[in-house]
Every structure is written in C-alpha cells, then in structure tokens.
Amino acid sequence: MRLILLGPAGAGKGTQAERLVARFKIPHVSTGDILRAAVANETEVGKLAREHMESGGLVPDAVVLGVMREWLASKEATDGYVLDGFPRTVPQAEALEGILRDHPPGLNAAVLVDVPDQVILERLSVRWSCPKCGLVYSAAASNRPKNVGYCDRDGTALQQRGDDSPAVIRHRLDVYREQTAPLIGFYESRNLLKRIDGVGTPDEIEERILKEIS
Ligand code: AMP
C-alpha cells in the first residue's frame, strides 16, 4: 500500500495516517515531523527549514526532496508507506513520480481529506501534540488525552505548535490554496485522487478512507 494524504493543515491527515499505518503495518512519513526534528536538532536541513516553517511558508522543494529521495530509496520504504504532507507542490509531485519510476510500484491512491477553512481554524487553535512521539490531541471528546496536558502513550507534557497561532494558520491555508491545491488536479488527471469528506469523527473519516481505497 503506497498512499499520499492530501489536505490542508488541520484536516486530520496525521490522525488518519496513524490509523492507516496501524492497519496496514506500513511506515508513516510526515515531512513536517522530519523537518521539525531537523530544526530541533539544528542539522543542516533544519537550518534551511526553520524560518520557512515558523512563518507558515513552504520549505524549498530542493531541501524537502533531498530528505524524501533518501527515505524513498531506503529499505524502510520497500513494503509501502503513508506519505503525510508530501508532496506539497507540483514540482515535488513530479519529482515523486520520477522517484517511483526508479523504485516501483507506483502509488495506490492520493487521498484528499477535505475540510472547510472555518473548521480548520477552530481545530488548530485547540490542537496539542506530544513533542516526543508526535501523537496529536484535540478538544473533541474522542481525542482528548486521558490525563489533561499529558500524552497517553508516553506521559510527555503536551505542547501547542508555534505555527498553530491564528495568523500563521491563515497564512498556511493561503499557501495550501496556492501551492498544494493544484495537486488535486494533478492526481485527478492520473486517476489516483480519492476525495474524502474530512468533517466527522476520526472513526467516520477512517471508514470513508477505507471504503475508497479498498
Ligand atoms: P505539517 O506538519 O505537515 O503541517 O508541516 C509543517 C511545516 O513544515 C509546513 O508549514 C512547511 O513549512 C513544512 N513542510 C512540511 N512538509 C513540507 C513539504 N512537503 N514541502 C515544503 N514544506 C513542508
């Protein structure tokens, strides 16, 4: 199973990716998580990515592609994966096509998790995540941590992401519309696009995805 999850920040891609990897026993690759770790560890990639991430803009294609080319050629990638947050631009999608020609088979589907902007703004302003394992929590009863403020999985104190402030969220949504939304047509033209209504409980959305990709 080789899947791409498309959709704006806060669409629930990370939550659904976690469920898909548990079901299909394949790795979950989030370029956002990889880049945040690089920034935290002050690596060369992190230094190139930091400012772009803080402002809610995109990290240059060359930097992201450098990271993903290496991962997609690694042993970890051989039995499938869920790509979350990559590709994010048409040049990234074209590069991914080229990489998959060298490392077949190709993608099974590009799943678009569709959510209106207003819902995104509401969701992201109450999104907390675990800095250690990346698990994401929200204010929804189905997705609150059992122990308020701490991760269910490892007990680490939860944090709100710096780029989840209202002004940065708005900018990220504009960037999504301008640079990432063109991927909808890109994958539609390749008969890979599966459009999912992303409003509902995580269980409902998972069910919709499974129905589309089965
Ligand atoms: P995310 O966790 O997916 O919301 O990503 C957080 C931030 O990382 C984004 O706002 C971008 O600055 C950067 N980022 C993540 N993935 C990519 C990508 N594929 N291309 C460019 N920038 C990315």
Side-chain angles (χ1 to χ4, degrees):
M1 186 62 82
R2 291 180 162 190
L3 290 178
I4 288 179
L5 290 181
L6 282 177
K13 300 187 300 293
T15 303
Q16 292 304 322
E18 286 280 334
R19 289 166 173 244
L20 290 165
V21 301
R23 179 175 294 268
F24 295 109
K25 309 273 183 292
I26 49 178
H28 167 200
V29 185
S30 153
T31 40
D33 285 349
I34 293 174
L35 293 169
R36 272 185 291 280
V39 170
N41 295 325
E42 297 181 6
T43 66
E44 278 311 304
V45 167
K47 284 179 199 155
L48 294 169
R50 192 173 61 83
E51 263 181 48
H52 301 283
M53 294 179 76
E54 281 172 358
S55 70
L58 292 185
V59 173
D61 288 338
V63 176
V64 176
L65 283 168
V67 171
M68 287 309 289
R69 267 206 181 91
E70 195 178 318
W71 192 85
L72 287 161
S74 73
K75 227 175 121 217
E76 251 186 292
T78 46
D79 294 330
Y81 38 74
V82 178
L83 300 184
D84 163 10
F86 175 86
R88 208 108 148 192
T89 63
V90 171
Q92 288 181 20
E94 287 168 345
L96 176 63
E97 257 182 356
I99 297 169
L100 293 181
R101 247 175 259 131
D102 296 336
H103 302 280
L107 297 171
N108 295 80
V111 177
L112 169 66
V113 186
D114 220 0
V115 179
D117 283 7
Q118 192 48 42
V119 176
I120 300 246
L121 283 163
E122 285 162 18
R123 278 189 191 170
L124 291 189
S125 57
V126 292
R127 175 165 83 167
W128 291 78
S129 60
C130 173
K132 187 169 173 202
C133 74
L135 210 58
V136 178
Y137 297 89
S138 71
S142 57
N143 197 26
R144 265 182 231 141
K146 289 188 183 71
N147 190 0
V148 176
Y150 296 92
C151 182
D152 290 348
R153 196 182 274 167
D154 52 44
T156 305
L158 300 178
Q159 290 178 353
Q160 191 159 33
R161 272 170 52 172
D163 60 355
D164 277 350
S165 70
V168 180
I169 293 169
R170 272 181 217 284
H171 181 54
R172 287 161 69 200
L173 288 173
D174 288 342
V175 168
Y176 173 79
R177 251 187 302 272
E178 281 161 27
Q179 301 198 52
T180 307
L183 294 183
I184 298 170
F186 181 95
Y187 286 113
E188 221 159 19
S189 71
R190 284 151 176 82
N191 276 329
L192 287 170
L193 192 79
K194 308 285 181 195
R195 199 184 282 265
I196 306 286
D197 174 6
V199 180
T201 66
D203 283 347
E204 285 165 349
I205 297 160
E206 182 185 9
E207 209 171 293
R208 289 173 203 154
I209 295 177
L210 292 175
K211 208 164 129 205
E212 282 290 334
I213 63 174
S214 63

